[in-house]
Amino acid sequence: MDPVRVRFAPSPTGHLHLGSARTALYDYLIARKTGGQFILRIEDTDRKRLVEGAEEEIYKGLRWLGLDWDEGPDIGGPFGPYRQSERKEIYQQYARELIENNHAYYCFCSPERLNDVRLEKQKRKELAVYDGTCRRLTLKEALGRVAAGEKHVVRFKTPKSGTTTMTDLLRGNITVENRMLDDYIIVKSDGLALYHLAATVDDHLMKITHVIRSSEWLPTAPLHCLIHRAFGWQEPVWVHLSVFLKPSGKGKMSKRDAAELIKDGHSIFIKELETLGYLSEAVLNWVALMGWSYDDHTEFFTKEELVKKFSLERLNPSPAAINFQKFDYFNANYIRMLGDVELANMIKPFFDSVGIKADLPTLIKIAPIIKERLTTLDDAIEMAGLFFKPFPDLSPEVLLGKDMSREESRSVIQATISIFSDLPELSKDLSETKMRETVEALGFSAGQVFGILRMAITGQKVSPPLFESIEIIGKKVVMERLEKAQKLLQVE
RNA sequence: GCCCCCAUGGUCUAGCGGUUAGGACACGGCCCUUUCAAGGCCAUAACAGGAGUUCGAGUCUCCUUGGGGGCACCA
């Protein structure tokens, strides 16, 4: 495949989410695979909807995901500027060209009148498109009114008859009747272009070969083709990706749904995923497989493998419900692939954030025993907090072994104390070997004995493996805890 | 309402005219086991419906149904 030039063109009006991340990923993959360019373009022509910090969030999110771009607002490039708000004059120039070639016209109708027209048409169950009042004006007349300072927009002159056929890579030919297409506004009264014009002009000027975007754009794609053709430009290859549906499969994710998700420790926003304890590798792998597949069984891919194996032809056009269980599965697996030092460094910030002082050397020792027990990194707090937090006050009841009396339980602890005190150190192997021998002699089951010890030593009913934990906690503290538990069980 | 798109288990998907319809997640059971996990084994579960085309249709065509998306001086 020839090198492609693709662009990821988000608008800084909200958070970077999973859907955009996937689009960006596919852009990145096909660019890297073909040795082409991945371009970042900020579509900020709507000044009213701008959200402070949103552009920065896009950069951060893409960087976290490891999707580096070749041209963009921050790094420049041969086709800049890459922020549409800085390209106002370019769009106006092209709008003028369209007007001169009779493919666009000035419109002086007020928003109020437009709204009335729309409502009226809807009431009569007609197509709610512009009624064409200003389309009938002569160019001379319109120019006069513009010169007189009258407020105006520019509309694209869509053909009123015939059909327009475009080709989408995943869906084949799509034909629409031109009368269904509106005379869309392409330049607002503030002089800034709307998406339809801005994106079309930029895609051409930036030599974009493949437009990969959400299928929400499908209904207006014929319009974009028409604009390309009006200029006499060659169209890019159109690739409309399926949309992501909420987990229930009932519709797109709404603000409300997103807020609900957080309660389960999930999110569709990239910036939250990191603090929730997800790995960017897992995000990439998971999201890549929602709408794309390689074969009937491979499902773990590094970014490098994705670059090698990705192809537009294997994209799936049908909408996909987001499945967070699968995401967790991927994340748990990617955590397990981490090295001990790497994992320790990654969970450290989570302890810091809740005010638990966890030192790196200990975390490195803990890493191997909690690794396969974590779904997300923040699970480490619950899993390994016991190694750093003060020991809890226990009641005698929780120290009782299953079906065992108080005295029996106490004797188990007593026996352990005498065995442990003879050992130079409580290494995992040594303590476990000794205790396994003892279990039989004591006449209780391993479950009973180790259950008591787990509670006495870790202070928890559920913990990482007992003897590994003992080694990490260290002989001194272990002995103290055993003594304390033994006293607690003495009948008063 | 109108236009466009989509349609294999609960979910993500493989399948590109001839398969016992494959994999994964989730769910259930069993094994392993000092808890929790992990792992191993097993089970349940799908071609939306109807017409065609064809010797033969999950695969091609049409209709119906269902779902999704779009109908702004938003993107």
Side-chain angles (χ1 to χ4, degrees):
Chain A
M1 193 171 171
D2 290 336
V4 300
R5 281 182 59 83
V6 290
R7 98 278 129 119
F8 176 55
S11 61
T13 53
H15 298 302
L16 182 67
H17 54 79
L18 289 171
S20 335
R22 183 190 58 170
T23 304
L25 171 65
Y26 290 166
D27 277 324
Y28 171 90
L29 294 177
I30 199 66
R32 291 291 168 267
K33 188 195 173 80
T34 62
Q37 288 84 37
F38 171 43
I39 294 135
L40 176 59
R41 185 171 76 214
I42 300 294
E43 310 224 320
D44 57 348
T45 50
D46 186 353
R47 310 308 289 169
K48 286 192 290 277
R49 292 205 313 154
L50 272 191
V51 170
E52 179 112 21
E55 189 177 318
E56 192 51 43
E57 187 181 323
I58 291 166
Y59 298 143
K60 266 198 207 154
L62 291 180
R63 280 195 208 108
W64 181 66
L65 291 168
L67 306 178
D68 49 294
W69 50 100
D70 304 302
E71 299 167 29
D74 57 332
I75 54 173
F79 301 94
Y82 293 90
R83 205 178 276 114
Q84 291 189 324
S85 56
E86 296 166 15
R87 300 171 64 83
K88 185 172 175 177
E89 287 72 28
I90 298 173
Y91 306 134
Q92 284 178 334
Q93 176 199 326
Y94 282 98
R96 240 174 281 130
E97 184 180 331
L98 244 23
I99 291 167
E100 281 159 19
N101 296 337
N102 198 28
H103 280 117
Y105 60 93
Y106 292 106
C107 174
F108 305 91
C109 297
S110 69
E112 294 73 31
R113 195 188 95 78
L114 259 22
N115 200 254
D116 291 345
V117 170
R118 186 163 37 237
L119 258 35
E120 181 58 29
K121 290 223 178 197
Q122 273 169 3
K123 212 162 76 186
R124 291 208 301 260
K125 302 208 161 151
E126 287 175 27
L127 222 53
V129 295
Y130 178 56
D131 64 358
T133 304
C134 296
R135 182 175 170 133
R136 292 184 282 270
L137 261 30
T138 64
L139 181 56
K140 204 178 153 199
E141 190 181 347
L143 249 17
R145 288 171 72 172
V146 170
E150 199 171 330
K151 215 171 176 195
H152 62 275
V153 300
V154 178
R155 285 180 184 275
F156 187 72
K157 199 176 258 185
T158 46
K160 289 292 111 181
S161 61
T163 60
T164 297
T165 298
M166 60 164 297
T167 306
D168 177 89
L169 192 70
L170 313 184
R171 303 152 216 272
N173 287 162
I174 294 167
T175 301
V176 291
E177 290 187 54
N178 290 333
R179 62 182 184 84
M180 297 299 175
L181 266 19
D182 203 350
D183 278 3
Y184 291 92
I185 294 174
I186 53 176
V187 178
K188 290 180 276 187
S189 53
D190 66 2
L192 247 180
L194 255 76
Y195 177 88
H196 306 304
L197 210 224
T200 305
V201 167
D202 287 347
D203 287 341
H204 175 255
L205 260 26
M206 295 178 181
K207 300 198 186 321
I208 300 302
T209 59
H210 293 65
V211 169
I212 303 174
R213 63 195 347 179
S214 156
S215 66
E216 286 154 328
W217 290 108
L218 215 43
T220 44
L223 192 240
H224 303 146
C225 289
L226 250 17
I227 298 178
H228 269 96
R229 292 170 195 175
F231 280 118
W233 296 337
Q234 201 197 346
E235 302 166 36
V237 176
W238 304 101
V239 184
H240 289 93
L241 267 19
S242 63
V243 290
F244 282 171
L245 271 24
K246 60 177 104 176
S248 63
K250 301 275 177 215
K252 279 203 300 185
M253 192 74 60
S254 67
K255 283 212 174 75
R256 230 190 120 92
D257 299 321
E260 284 294 311
L261 275 178
I262 276 290
K263 292 177 189 165
D264 301 323
H266 292 135
S267 177
I268 56 163
F269 300 125
I270 304 303
K271 65 180 280 198
E272 290 178 336
L273 261 22
E274 186 174 8
T275 52
L276 250 20
Y278 287 97
L279 267 39
S280 64
E281 290 85 349
V283 179
L284 246 32
N285 198 147
W286 172 51
V287 114
L289 257 19
M290 295 191 64
W292 175 82
S293 62
Y294 178 63
D295 57 21
D296 65 344
H297 65 281
T298 316
E299 57 173 7
F300 280 90
F301 300 89
T302 62
K303 198 174 71 175
E304 291 66 34
E305 285 168 340
L306 284 175
V307 168
K308 228 171 282 168
K309 293 174 169 169
F310 183 74
S311 68
L312 296 172
E313 286 67 31
R314 291 196 64 85
L315 252 20
N316 186 149
S318 47
I322 297 178
N323 182 345
F324 285 98
Q325 279 74 42
K326 188 79 179 240
F327 185 23
D328 285 342
Y329 165 79
F330 273 119
N331 205 59
N333 276 277
Y334 274 95
I335 287 177
R336 274 178 249 154
M337 291 178 210
L338 257 25
D340 294 343
V341 177
E342 205 177 354
L343 176 59
N345 275 298
M346 291 183 89
I347 56 179
K348 178 118 178 23
F350 288 90
F351 285 97
D352 293 343
S353 71
V354 292
I356 296 177
K357 280 183 140 14
D359 62 290
L360 203 59
T362 306
L363 284 174
I364 293 171
K365 278 190 260 176
I366 293 169
I369 64 172
I370 62 169
K371 200 178 285 181
E372 67 185 23
R373 277 156 245 268
L374 304 179
T375 298
T376 48
L377 293 173
D378 65 323
D379 290 343
I381 297 170
E382 202 182 338
M383 204 72 237
L386 74 101
F387 295 105
F388 306 103
K389 288 192 288 195
F391 197 74
D393 284 324
L394 302 178
S395 67
E397 290 73 42
V398 299
L399 285 166
L400 298 182
K402 193 173 189 300
D403 300 322
M404 287 168 73
S405 73
R406 196 160 166 152
E407 177 49 29
E408 286 170 330
S409 303
R410 196 200 62 79
S411 71
V412 164
I413 295 177
Q414 187 56 61
T416 307
I417 290 174
S418 57
I419 290 165
F420 279 6
S421 55
D422 287 344
L423 299 174
E425 52 160 25
L426 296 182
S427 71
K428 186 242 166 196
D429 289 339
L430 203 53
S431 59
E432 179 164 9
T433 310
K434 288 288 176 192
M435 283 313 295
R436 285 206 185 277
E437 290 168 5
T438 314
V439 162
E440 285 186 55
L442 253 31
F444 296 112
S445 75
Q448 287 173 307
V449 173
F450 297 152
I452 297 170
L453 295 183
R454 181 186 310 284
M455 199 67 217
I457 295 168
T458 70
Q460 299 177 175
K461 214 181 177 114
V462 174
S463 80
L466 182 58
F467 296 102
E468 282 88 336
S469 299
I470 285 174
E471 180 174 325
I472 292 168
I473 292 167
K475 181 170 177 181
K476 183 170 169 285
V477 176
V478 168
M479 296 310 286
E480 284 168 11
R481 290 179 183 177
L482 287 172
E483 289 292 352
K484 199 173 163 190
Q486 192 268 131
K487 283 202 187 81
L488 211 54
L489 285 176
Q490 274 170 358
V491 191
E492 58 283 333

